[in-house]
Amino acid sequence: MKTIKLADAQALPLWRRPTTLLFAMAVAMPIAFATWSALLNNFVVEVAGFDGADIGLLHSIREIPGFLAVGVIAIIIFVREQVLGLVSLIMLGAATAITAWFPSLGGILTITMLSSIGFHYYETVNQSLQLQWLPKERAPQMLGWLLAAGSAATLVAYGLIVLTWRAFDLSYNLVYLASGGITVLLAVFCLLAYPQFEAPNPQVKKFVLRRRYWLYYALQFMAGARRQIFMVFAGFMMVEHFGFDVHQVTALFMINLVINMGLAPLFGRAVARFGERNTLVFEYAGLALVFLAYGGIYWFGWGVLLASVLYVVDHMLFALALALKTYFQKIADPGDIAPTAAVAFTINHIAAVGLPWVLGLLWLVSPSAVFVLAAGLATGSLLLALMIPRHPEPGNETVFAGLVAATPAE
């Protein structure tokens, strides 16, 4: 397969350039993953009879490959990142396609593990390629547009589910087969149609854990723990507590996507204008308030309308996490991007592996306590975000860097 330097890729037709490939991948992934997520809560409750503990166990199992994402470092010694990302995307699509063939706890856990390997290895490599291929001055805006493209693809998938689920009495098997199959076809096309792009900075192909990246690692750890509570229990609450059906859950997701399509490019501009610190502080403060309000649903008996609004606001705030990517891009050595992306994914999933199962047990006792814990994690993230300098760069990774530099050498 032909290899082309990144600088020379601009001479290619627009549809064969690196940025176009990033957009194609951004569209392909959510067709399978978002459909899987939209149907999951109803599928496991209706077909397999899951309770809160079961759904927590499922998501703990799903996060194990994320915890092992550091294995990407070993694989890219032998396989180019671009190839690994697309092969992982094929694996995600194929596993999604056959999800409904295994309607038992053991079967769902097994197929979820396989799809999760594809998803997490794809996401690890995709983040690395984005930060290598996008110039720093344009990265926030381009990441916003990539997020919008993924939201648009997901919107189409959700729209088809809402319009056809009841009208044609669709089965879980048909929808999973269609969505997973489309992702596989798109990934195979990208694998065959695009040359191999070579970034100017060779990546370090060994385990990298640098002291000066400590704040980025800490923010990743907190993000992983906090994100799991939203992904596992916010949607599950809508099904268990309010009795949402498939088309209702999907319609709620669609509202999220329409908002994200409009706001994601603006979020990218906001990061460029206000900086990573201010953006992340705003995100974490908002998330803390949203999680406390989730608890209020159980304390005060608030209704489904408020719960739906909170779910949309929650999802919107999470989109601001692109600021964490650009913060790392600004402070990183160019050769550290691939190995640190893998290490960061592992750190992000340390809490994600055990937390859903433990909180699933807590959910059986007190759902509100789960959301109070999430509010605490968001507050902790806010305090960490205050340590990001206004203009991060190598040597100025935290607000304390200047104090260290100002200390006279002994």
Side-chain angles (χ1 to χ4, degrees), residues 72 140 251:
V72 166

Side-chain angles (χ1 to χ4, degrees), residues 236-257:
F236 190 71
M237 174 190 67
M238 304 306 291
V239 175
E240 183 189 63
H241 190 68
F242 294 108
F244 269 37
D245 200 355
V246 167
H247 68 286
Q248 293 172 312
V249 173
T250 308
L252 187 59
F253 286 3
M254 288 179 65
I255 295 171
N256 286 338
L257 291 167

Side-chain angles (χ1 to χ4, degrees), residues 261-303:
M261 286 172 59
L263 292 183
L266 299 180
F267 288 163
R269 294 181 192 174
V271 174
R273 178 174 180 180
F274 299 108
E276 286 77 12
R277 179 181 62 194
N278 292 335
T279 304
L280 290 173
V281 165
F282 177 80
E283 176 194 355
Y284 300 147
L287 288 174
L289 294 175
V290 167
F291 281 127
L292 287 175
Y294 275 141
I297 291 173
Y298 291 91
W299 298 326
F300 308 114
W302 293 337

Side-chain angles (χ1 to χ4, degrees), residues 89-173:
L89 197 54
I90 292 170
M91 186 175 183
L92 167 64
T96 300
I98 61 174
T99 294
W101 297 3
F102 304 92
S104 65
L105 176 61
I108 292 172
L109 293 180
T110 301
I111 204 67
T112 297
M113 171 67 83
L114 293 175
S115 67
S116 181
I117 292 172
F119 172 79
H120 284 99
Y121 275 49
Y122 161 78
E123 280 293 313
T124 302
V125 171
N126 184 50
Q127 176 173 311
S128 172
L129 294 178
Q130 287 175 349
L131 298 184
Q132 290 180 65
W133 292 356
L134 298 177
K136 290 182 181 180
E137 62 275 9
R138 293 183 59 214
Q141 294 92 331
M142 290 303 300
L143 289 173
W145 282 109
L146 287 167
L147 181 60
S151 296
T154 310
L155 179 63
V156 172
Y158 286 169
L160 290 173
I161 293 174
V162 170
L163 293 174
T164 62
W165 182 261
R166 282 195 167 180
F168 297 99
D169 193 24
L170 298 182
S171 66
Y172 290 108
N173 184 46

Side-chain angles (χ1 to χ4, degrees), residues 215-223 280 284 324 381 384-385 388:
L215 181 56
Y216 175 68
Y217 298 146
L219 287 166
Q220 283 285 4
F221 175 82
M222 298 295 284
L280 290 173
Y284 300 147
L324 189 54
S381 298
L384 288 172
I388 297 175

